[in-house]
Amino acid sequence: MSSRPGGSAPASFQTGFPIRPDRLVEARTPDDVREAVAYAAERGLRVTAHATGHGLPGAVEGGVLVVTRALDSVTVDPVARTATIGAGATWGAVTAAAAPHGLAPLNGSSPSVGAVSYTLGGGLGILARQFGYAADHVRALEVVTADGVPRRVTPEREPELFWGLRGGGGRLGVVTSLEIGLVAVERLYGGSIAFDGERAAEVAARYLEWTRSVPESLTSSLAALPYPDLPQVPEERRGRYVVSVRVAFTGDAAEGERLVAPLRAIGPALEDSFREMPYPESPTIHNDPPFPHAYYGEGLMLRGLDAERAARVLELTGPGAPTMNVVQLNHLGGASAERPRVASAVPYRDAGFLLRLLSPLDGTDVPSVRSLYREVSGVLGPLVQGRAANFCFGGGDRTAGFHEPETAKRLAGLVSQFDPAGLFGGPYEG
């Protein structure tokens, strides 16, 4: 274990918030995590865990920062169709390890996201409508709780903690590894189709209509963003406001072509990348930026969405907005709406869509972004059920709405039992 005063911050994908802990611990083994938690508990210091830093909730000021990046082991059992993954493993590494066995994890769109933290927040991935949330496929967790005790948590051992850790986020301890179920997916039909943003409202309306008829084996999203006029941006998108639809479908290519035909019928496309691909190439569907940057974000779980409200949201967040914004609308339902055999704390199962807003912070003040998000939320009104914790980037300033009141109350009971001193952040709010 490397432990030192927290003067030098670890590298983080999120660069928008300062990281200034009192002590920085770079864990190389689960026992290092145990020692770090015990050290913090003895001194009444708050503990924050940090893997890749994609979902950093905000500034880290004081306390003990436990960097789990070195705990990056990935072991696949092809017979049991499981993977055991360390707290620092990324989805790219898990996907690469599973693929030779014809298996895949329930990963998100970016291969550089930490697999464990993503899953603890629920884990809404590119195959969510067919297989549900990643949290529902967890078989066991290794976690260090606030008393410094390492625990193996399963449905049979610590069932209430097993419920809360899956979807409750990281406020019940530092998870050092997960055993997860894998799915038998070797290839996909998928990609994206992009249109000029001047047609954003029309594309959104056609997309919403299209989602009413697609099968659960197809998971999709709509995205809208202005691209900078820079040489590294593809020429067809350079300097333009672009709206696109992304698709991941596990059926055969011929059926995939039939399903995306209504999207192609929308009209001339700037780009059409639909194709059959090996599963490890699935990150090309979204092409998330691979480089660290500063950003702030919101994730709103919606009961549904109509074309009029969608058009207004795109108008507020488009090229005329006071800040640059990336908008993504994820189509939910299917398996993501089903209650798993072993219940978890994943909230808002009946949501029809997830609206994700992301705003780069370079040269932008956070209050103006918050103001815009409040305006968007006002447009959506009663359609908003709550927030998606995994997508409230910089969300440490917004602690309410991540769970339904009854779920939050149950999670608060777990905090009282396992972390009464609030070492990992204190109570949950409904």
Side-chain angles (χ1 to χ4, degrees), residues 2 13 22 95 169 202 257 309 323 342 406 408 424:
S2 172
F13 192 85
D22 293 325
T95 300
E202 176 196 356
E257 288 282 303
R309 283 189 174 95
T323 65
V342 180
E406 284 303 310
F424 299 112

Side-chain angles (χ1 to χ4, degrees), residues 40-63:
E42 288 172 6
R43 293 159 178 80
L45 299 174
R46 180 169 175 169
V47 176
T48 303
H50 182 290
T52 65
H54 273 256
L56 192 70
V60 177
E61 299 283 0

Side-chain angles (χ1 to χ4, degrees), residues 70-308:
L71 302 176
D72 60 355
S73 62
V74 179
T75 304
V76 172
D77 182 338
V79 176
R81 291 186 178 180
T82 62
T84 301
I85 56 178
T90 63
W91 276 130
V94 182
T95 300
H101 308 288
L103 300 171
L106 295 179
N107 55 283
S109 59
S110 171
S112 62
V113 165
V116 168
S117 52
Y118 161 100
T119 303
L120 296 180
L124 184 69
I126 64 171
L127 302 180
R129 281 177 41 81
Q130 182 167 357
F131 297 107
Y133 285 86
D136 296 331
H137 294 257
V138 173
R139 309 286 182 84
L141 309 95
E142 301 285 345
V143 59
V144 178
T145 46
D147 54 8
V149 174
R151 303 169 188 265
R152 180 170 176 81
V153 179
T154 68
E156 296 75 32
R157 302 168 59 179
E158 312 267 20
E160 187 68 0
L161 192 53
F162 186 74
W163 170 84
L165 285 167
R166 297 172 309 122
R171 281 190 257 179
L172 295 169
V174 179
V175 173
T176 57
S177 73
L178 294 180
E179 181 184 328
I180 60 170
L182 302 172
V183 296
V185 175
E186 296 185 62
R187 41 153 298 284
L188 289 175
Y189 174 86
S192 69
I193 185 167
F195 302 93
D196 192 299
E198 291 185 358
R199 304 177 62 202
E202 176 196 356
V203 174
R206 298 279 288 272
Y207 171 72
L208 290 171
E209 179 67 28
W210 177 74
T211 61
R212 295 175 188 165
S213 62
V214 296
E216 292 181 6
S217 51
L218 188 151
T219 303
S220 67
S221 63
L222 178 141
L225 68 151
Y227 283 86
D229 188 6
L230 297 173
Q232 57 266 43
V233 175
E235 187 174 351
E236 61 272 11
R237 299 184 181 225
R238 193 178 302 162
R240 305 179 77 155
Y241 180 53
V242 175
V243 59
S244 59
V245 177
R246 294 87 163 263
V247 168
F249 173 59
T250 57
D252 63 46
E255 180 64 6
E257 288 282 303
R258 186 189 71 79
L259 288 168
V260 302
L263 300 176
R264 287 175 166 151
I266 292 173
L270 301 176
E271 180 183 319
D272 182 340
S273 65
F274 292 135
R275 63 185 176 91
E276 190 170 43
M277 66 184 73
Y279 191 80
E281 294 181 16
S282 62
T284 63
I285 295 172
H286 291 76
N287 280 320
D288 291 336
F291 49 84
H293 54 289
Y295 48 95
Y296 190 80
E298 181 69 285
L300 300 175
M301 302 296 285
L302 308 180
R303 290 180 175 85
L305 186 61
D306 57 82
E308 184 178 351

Side-chain angles (χ1 to χ4, degrees), residues 355-418:
L355 178 67
R356 297 167 55 180
L357 305 169
L358 185 146
S359 304
L361 290 181
D362 295 336
T364 303
D365 63 302
V366 169
S368 68
V369 178
R370 287 185 193 146
S371 177
L372 176 62
Y373 291 178
R374 284 194 296 270
E375 192 171 1
V376 169
S377 186
V379 167
L380 297 169
L383 297 179
V384 178
Q385 294 179 296
R387 290 190 165 98
N390 273 2
F391 303 108
C392 284
F393 306 117
D397 60 353
R398 294 152 289 156
T399 56
F402 291 143
H403 297 88
E404 301 96 337
E406 284 303 310
T407 302
K409 182 179 178 181
R410 187 173 169 185
L411 287 167
L414 278 171
V415 170
S416 297
Q417 179 182 353
F418 289 99

